[in-house]
Amino acid sequence: MSYEKFELREELAIRRLITFFYREMPQDYFFAGEQHDFWEIVYVDKGEWDVTVDGAPFHLEQGDLVFYGPNEFHRGGAAQKSTPNVIIITFECDSPAMKYFAEHRVFRLDEKERGIFSSLVKAGLESFDPPIDSPKMRKLHRREGSPFGSEQLIRNHLENMLIHFIRRKHVPIAPEKPASAVKENKENVIASEVLDYLKANMAEDLTVDELCRRFQVSRTQLKTAFRLQTGQGVLEAFNHMKIERAKVLIREERHNYTEIAEMLGYSSIHYFSRQFKKLTNMTPTEYARSVKLRALDDQSGCWDLS
């Protein structure tokens, strides 16, 4: 019996990346501009970002993504004195469908697109050495022993996201319901309330028992709910939260390390420094230096794209 083979149509394809960075920027960061013969997307993970593309200005906030087309001159930097975290991906794609992004340049990701983008970043973190969020990352190098198919997942997720954007066309994104209206169950409520409390009390030295008393839940309930929503233990997440806040304070350059340690509830500058290095593999001083050097590299156009 003969079977007819149906060839699937390919609307767009991405086979080559040039860069894939997760970057934490100082509040005075500004990139004087460049143009290149490949596509670039910049996603604002935190803070605010101002860009100009071929003379047209755009303001981006957390959750926004902007496209720069081949040979379009673009420049930009931190907005409103924020200390933005941005994800920068450059890639080749010669599909005619890509002209859509020269006309529709800025997107605010919806819930499904955020999920796709999160998977894309996860695949990026798995694929390269040093990883995309490392201050040492300058040029893509394949990680030896990376999970099977991780690079192919980058391609799949990136193509998937572009297809979602094009399918969206001019259909407006419905505003998301307030978080309180979409809670799925009691565990989500507990975890979200505790997260909010931790964020508001980063100067405190909180314990699990204190949190259980405050929210009237058992240790098992709290730990289970928190791990289901965050994938971390309560104190583990609290420590990461403090260090992420410390990074922002360091990049703002308004406080010395002793003041930052006190603001975040560390008993001493030495303990703060040890915790910072434990979670980032850098001392606070090394981190501050790396951010400045990286910003200077970007501002001078030294992206090492060769």
Side-chain angles (χ1 to χ4, degrees), residues 81-294:
K81 292 295 182 181
S82 68
T83 52
N85 292 8
V86 295
I87 298 168
I88 303 166
I89 305 174
T90 57
F91 58 94
E92 289 185 346
C93 185
D94 57 6
S95 165
M98 291 297 293
K99 68 181 181 181
Y100 178 79
F101 299 108
E103 301 167 359
H104 306 86
R105 192 174 301 282
V106 176
F107 294 81
R108 172 167 288 275
L109 274 61
D110 63 23
E111 185 176 358
K112 181 175 287 187
E113 290 157 356
R114 286 198 302 272
I116 297 169
F117 196 78
S118 177
S119 297
L120 169 62
V121 172
K122 182 176 184 292
L125 287 166
E126 294 174 340
S127 297
F128 306 112
D129 185 21
I132 63 173
D133 60 347
S134 168
K136 298 178 181 178
M137 163 62 89
R138 288 292 183 274
K139 186 176 179 181
L140 297 179
H141 292 281
R142 184 167 288 123
R143 176 180 295 175
E144 187 175 342
S146 60
F148 176 79
S150 58
E151 291 180 31
Q152 187 171 345
L153 284 177
I154 292 175
R155 188 181 80 201
N156 291 348
H157 294 316
L158 185 51
E159 291 174 349
N160 190 11
M161 188 174 67
L162 297 180
I163 289 168
H164 268 266
F165 285 153
I166 293 172
R167 283 187 171 190
R168 187 200 290 189
K169 299 276 184 197
H170 301 296
V171 179
I173 300 300
E176 295 184 12
K177 298 178 182 178
S180 60
V182 295
K183 297 298 185 186
E184 294 180 358
N185 50 47
K186 185 178 179 181
E187 285 75 20
N188 281 346
V189 173
I190 293 170
S192 294
E193 288 180 349
V194 173
L195 270 172
D196 289 342
Y197 185 75
L198 294 178
K199 289 175 184 176
N201 291 273
M202 280 194 277
E204 304 299 323
D205 186 17
L206 300 173
T207 67
V208 172
D209 288 337
E210 286 178 71
L211 293 170
C212 289
R213 286 194 296 271
R214 181 173 186 84
F215 292 94
Q216 298 183 332
V217 294
S218 69
R219 289 177 66 92
T220 301
Q221 274 183 302
L222 177 59
K223 289 182 176 182
T224 301
F226 209 83
R227 191 164 290 279
L228 280 173
Q229 182 152 322
T230 69
Q232 296 178 304
V234 180
L235 298 185
E236 178 188 6
F238 194 36
N239 288 333
H240 277 89
M241 200 179 292
K242 287 189 176 193
I243 296 304
E244 288 303 310
R245 179 59 183 157
K247 287 181 179 180
V248 171
L249 292 170
I250 290 170
R251 301 202 314 271
E252 288 178 347
E253 298 184 319
R254 296 175 188 166
H255 306 279
N256 61 39
Y257 299 142
T258 300
E259 290 170 335
I260 292 173
E262 290 175 354
M263 292 167 67
L264 296 174
Y266 291 100
S267 56
S268 70
I269 179 65
H270 304 293
Y271 180 54
F272 164 61
S273 186
R274 286 198 303 272
Q275 289 295 106
F276 194 97
K277 185 163 187 177
K278 179 180 178 182
L279 295 183
T280 68
N281 292 318
M282 292 180 285
T283 66
T285 301
E286 289 168 340
Y287 173 76
R289 188 182 301 122
S290 74
V291 169
K292 284 187 177 181
L293 288 174
R294 189 169 55 200

Side-chain angles (χ1 to χ4, degrees), residues 56-92:
F58 298 92
H59 177 74
L60 285 75
E61 299 181 351
Q62 183 177 12
D64 289 339
L65 181 147
V66 64
F67 281 83
Y68 309 140
N71 301 311
E72 291 183 326
F73 183 81
H74 51 276
R75 62 182 181 178
Q80 306 296 328
K81 292 295 182 181
S82 68
T83 52
N85 292 8
V86 295
I87 298 168
I88 303 166
I89 305 174
T90 57
F91 58 94
E92 289 185 346

Side-chain angles (χ1 to χ4, degrees), residues 8-39:
L8 295 174
R9 185 168 57 190
E10 188 174 67
E11 305 284 9
L12 55 82
I14 297 169
R15 295 293 181 267
R16 290 186 179 89
L17 289 184
I18 297 91
T19 57
F20 194 156
F21 297 134
Y22 185 100
R23 296 202 158 174
E24 299 168 321
M25 300 299 194
Q27 62 178 347
D28 58 353
Y29 173 80
F30 179 77
F31 178 53
E34 66 175 359
Q35 61 188 97
H36 39 63
D37 62 354
F38 43 82
W39 286 90

